[in-house]
Structure formats: structure tokens, C-alpha cells
Amino acid sequence: MSFHFGPKKLYTLSGDDDATLLGELTRSNTGPPQVRKLAFVPESMANRDALDRLLAAAGSLRPGRVAVAMPLSLFDIVTINLPRLTEGTVPRVLPYHLAKAINKPLSSFLYDWQITQRRGDQLQVTVYLLPARLHGVLQGALAEREVAIEYLEPDVFSAFGYLEADGRLPATGACLCLLFRRQMVTLAVFEGSTVTLVRNVTARLPDTPFQANTLDGFNLTAAAPTEPSGTAGNGSPDPRATAPEPKIDATSAEDLLSGFSLLLDRPDQAQEPKEEADGAEEPLALVLEQAEPVVLAGSATSPPMDAAWQDYLQTVNLEIMRTRDFYVSVVKGGAIDTVFAAGADEFLGELQNLLRGSLGIALHPLAAGGAGEDQRFMLAALAAGAGTRW
């Protein structure tokens, strides 16, 4: 028998469908916590066998506590409109409304919630539901090593936690965070102190190696026409309108609204959890026109970029445009003029140039990585972000 004395270790765990990282956390007086990698496996964190291999690779672990950042795709997301209540009353009434909104017993999930909007006499509450089965898989594997789950959250919250600890969240307005994964892109908007909008969009990374050349001969056309607007609807200036607000006709609005999880002005109704395994939206179809080449990081004399990468980067660019327009026009949020990205180190320069040219938006890495190491750097940053909860 062994006895363990002294403070318990602080661990952090992050992963997705393709990889899982376990680290030991060292808190810092300034900046995000430091994460020392203990083990990494190129397997899903939702798989018990993969977790066992991860923990075996970590070797001997002292008893401790762990903060977990789980991919947003593992959560069901429901938006519910409630009568305007005090925040302390929401936990008491939410189970009743939530049980009516989902097609499974509420006991099948662990959930947390956040007030994402206050409009007139209504509250908009976004609920994140994690299947209890997945929590059981994770908890069972860790408990065998005397490690207890203390914090668990969707990874977009960890990403913004990392940025906040690093002092890089904008003081005013909204910012967008992109998490790139092999099968999808996660987009999340943060404003004030709230994650106000989240999306998973199906967008598979091309199988061919990326080469920085040009988006030769194509130019992205926005699906929704925009016109400047600086009023709040009553003729007075809108304090949130720091950038032109798109005006959208009925057809464009239908395209813009499709796939978003927010349901506005519909009391006692919510989006049912998706049955698909990845819970991702299909991207909006691209509108491509022949145009002058959009020069990215490569030479103007370089051969054209692989068509799959052209399509991929243009799809990402369009989904950023949709998110920005929806957020300003429908949610009535602040202008998004800063974007952070993780998992895109290999093609970050090209995406930066594309966003700068099409939207005038600055794109920054969530954390500095290196080509070929995108995934590990992203998971380490998310693990550190989850560690800020202590």
C-alpha cells in the first residue's frame, strides 16, 4: 500500500475525435497556466480503450483533480426562450422547459446553461447537454487512477478562457474563435462575458498536402447584399453599430438563418438535439465567379492551389461571413472585427490574407504552433484554457 501526502496534482485533459492530450498543470501569476504534456494518443477521447492507453502512456500518476475540455460536437445544444426571470430562478424552471424540448429523458444528460440574451420580457438560455454515457466513460477511466473530474466544459469555453488569461480578449465588441478539426470547423462568438453563439460546420480538411500558392481565378461572392446602417431603428445612432450592418432580403435571410441554433421570439420552444453523430451543419453552397487571382502567401508565378484547398478555404471564409452577418443582423450583437484560430497553423497565412481581403478582419493564432503540429498545439492551448477554471 502506498500513501500520498501533499497537495493533489492538477491535471488537464483535452481532445476530439482524432486525438487526446493529458497534461499536468502549473499555474502562473501572469498569462495562461503552463501545461506539461504527460501523454498523447491519436484516438478519440470518447473511447474507453483510448483513454486507458492514454493513462498507461502517462505512467504513474499521483491522485489529483482534472479539468476537461471536450469538443463541442459531443454536446447537444438547445436554445430556450423563457419569461424574464431573475437569474437565480432559472435553475428551478429550466428542467421543466428542457424536458419538453428534448426527445430523450433529461436523466440521460449532464447539462449546464448560460443566459445568452435578454430581449424585452424574455430571456434566451443556451443549454449544453453532454450524454451521461460519455461522462461515465471518462469518469470510469480516470477514477481507476484516483483522478477526479472537477471541471468539464465545451472546448470553445476553454479557448476563450485561454485568451482571457493571456489578456487578448477585446475590451469592447465581439470576437470569433475558429477551431479546425479534420471533419469540421467549430465557430464561437464571445462578447462581454458570454459565449453568445456557437456552431459546428461540416468542412473536411483536404487529404492533399497544403501548398501556399494562389486562389487562382476565383473570387468569393457574398450570399447576402449589405448596406451601411448606423441606427437602432428609431432614427438614433445604435451604440453597437461600430461597423456597417447588413440588410438582408427575404431570400438571403432564409439562407443566412439556415443551420443556426438560435431560435428567437419563440417562447417555450427549443431546438431538439441532433441525432447525427457529429452534430454539424452542412456548409452553405459556394458562389464562385471568375475574377482576378486572390494572391495569398505564394508567388504570383506559382502553380494554382489544389482545387480541394481552394474549395475548403472559400467554404471557411463564407461561413465566417455568414456568422458575422447573422450575429450583427439577427442577434443584434456587436461588430466582429477580431478572429482567433486554432488548428490552422499550416494554412494560417493564406486564411489571414483571405479574411483581410474579403472582410477586412484581422485573424490571429489562438496559440503559436508549427506546421504539422497544429493539433497538439491546439489541444495544449485548450487544456490550458480549461485549467484557468482553478
Side-chain angles (χ1 to χ4, degrees):
M1 177 181 291
S2 61
F3 295 90
H4 300 280
F5 300 97
K8 290 187 175 182
K9 290 285 187 180
L10 300 180
Y11 300 108
T12 185
L13 180 69
S14 65
D16 53 31
D17 290 338
D18 299 311
T20 308
L21 174 77
L22 176 67
E24 183 179 337
L25 199 69
T26 303
R27 285 180 286 195
S28 172
N29 292 330
T30 58
Q34 300 298 308
V35 176
R36 181 173 70 88
K37 187 191 78 172
L38 298 178
F40 174 88
V41 294
E43 300 176 82
S44 170
M45 70 184 307
N47 183 291
R48 174 58 191 263
D49 291 339
L51 289 171
D52 288 340
R53 283 188 283 272
L54 178 79
L55 294 168
S60 177
L61 294 178
R62 283 178 54 183
R65 300 170 292 160
V66 64
V68 184
M70 300 192 76
L72 185 69
S73 59
L74 294 181
F75 291 80
D76 289 316
I77 304 168
V78 174
T79 303
I80 295 178
N81 287 333
L82 298 175
R84 188 141 190 166
L85 307 166
T86 62
E87 190 163 339
T89 307
V90 173
R92 297 201 296 270
V93 303
L94 186 59
Y96 169 76
H97 293 274
L98 191 55
K100 294 197 301 181
I102 61 178
N103 55 12
K104 295 179 182 178
L106 190 53
S107 58
S108 301
F109 299 96
L110 284 77
Y111 68 90
D112 203 353
W113 56 273
Q114 189 176 45
I115 296 175
T116 48
Q117 203 168 41
R118 293 173 169 86
R119 302 186 67 193
D121 60 352
Q122 288 190 341
L123 291 179
Q124 180 179 274
V125 180
T126 301
V127 186
Y128 298 84
L129 301 104
L130 179 71
R133 177 188 59 81
L134 291 180
H135 181 265
V137 167
L138 191 61
Q139 187 178 47
L142 292 168
E144 290 185 0
R145 305 297 292 271
E146 298 185 69
V147 176
I149 299 174
E150 185 148 335
Y151 298 100
L152 186 152
E153 63 186 8
D155 53 11
V156 292
F157 287 83
S158 301
F160 289 119
Y162 180 89
L163 291 169
E164 182 178 27
D166 205 28
R168 290 193 290 148
L169 282 178
T172 59
C175 67
L176 174 68
C177 184
L178 311 173
L179 302 181
F180 288 87
R181 299 219 157 84
R182 186 167 56 89
Q183 299 284 357
M184 70 178 64
V185 181
T186 297
L187 303 93
V189 180
F190 182 93
E191 184 173 13
S193 59
T194 305
V195 178
T196 48
L197 178 66
V198 292
R199 302 178 63 207
N200 278 324
V201 175
T202 300
R204 180 182 173 86
L205 281 167
D207 296 325
T208 55
F210 177 78
Q211 293 183 347
N213 295 313
T214 63
L215 290 178
D216 196 22
F218 290 99
N219 186 29
L220 186 66
T221 300
T226 62
E227 297 178 12
S229 173
T231 66
N234 56 5
S236 60
D238 186 345
R240 295 172 300 186
T242 58
E245 178 179 332
K247 289 187 177 180
I248 303 168
D249 58 31
T251 302
S252 298
E254 185 176 349
D255 286 339
L256 181 62
L257 293 171
S258 65
F260 283 88
S261 62
L262 293 182
L263 299 180
L264 304 175
D265 301 320
R266 295 175 61 187
D268 299 325
Q269 293 192 29
Q271 177 182 354
E272 292 189 0
K274 301 178 181 66
E275 293 295 331
E276 293 85 352
D278 58 10
E281 306 168 19
E282 289 297 329
L284 193 66
L286 292 176
V287 182
L288 296 174
E289 295 180 349
Q290 291 296 328
E292 293 298 318
V294 180
V295 179
L296 299 180
S299 164
T301 60
S302 302
M305 181 184 293
D306 180 275
W309 278 103
Q310 284 190 11
D311 290 346
Y312 180 79
L313 290 175
Q314 295 283 29
T315 295
V316 171
N317 184 69
L318 183 57
E319 292 302 332
I320 293 171
M321 292 172 66
R322 289 187 70 210
T323 302
R324 180 205 61 173
D325 291 350
F326 178 89
Y327 191 70
V328 173
S329 300
V330 180
V331 181
K332 302 300 181 184
I336 297 173
D337 45 25
T338 303
V339 181
F340 298 96
D345 289 4
E346 188 179 16
F347 52 91
L348 184 67
E350 281 62 37
L351 192 56
Q352 284 174 323
N353 288 341
L354 187 58
L355 286 181
R356 189 181 302 115
S358 63
L359 299 174
I361 291 179
L363 174 65
H364 309 281
L366 179 68
E373 293 289 334
D374 306 42
Q375 190 178 43
R376 296 194 189 199
F377 276 96
M378 177 172 68
L379 294 183
L382 296 176
T388 63
R389 305 311 173 194
W390 275 300

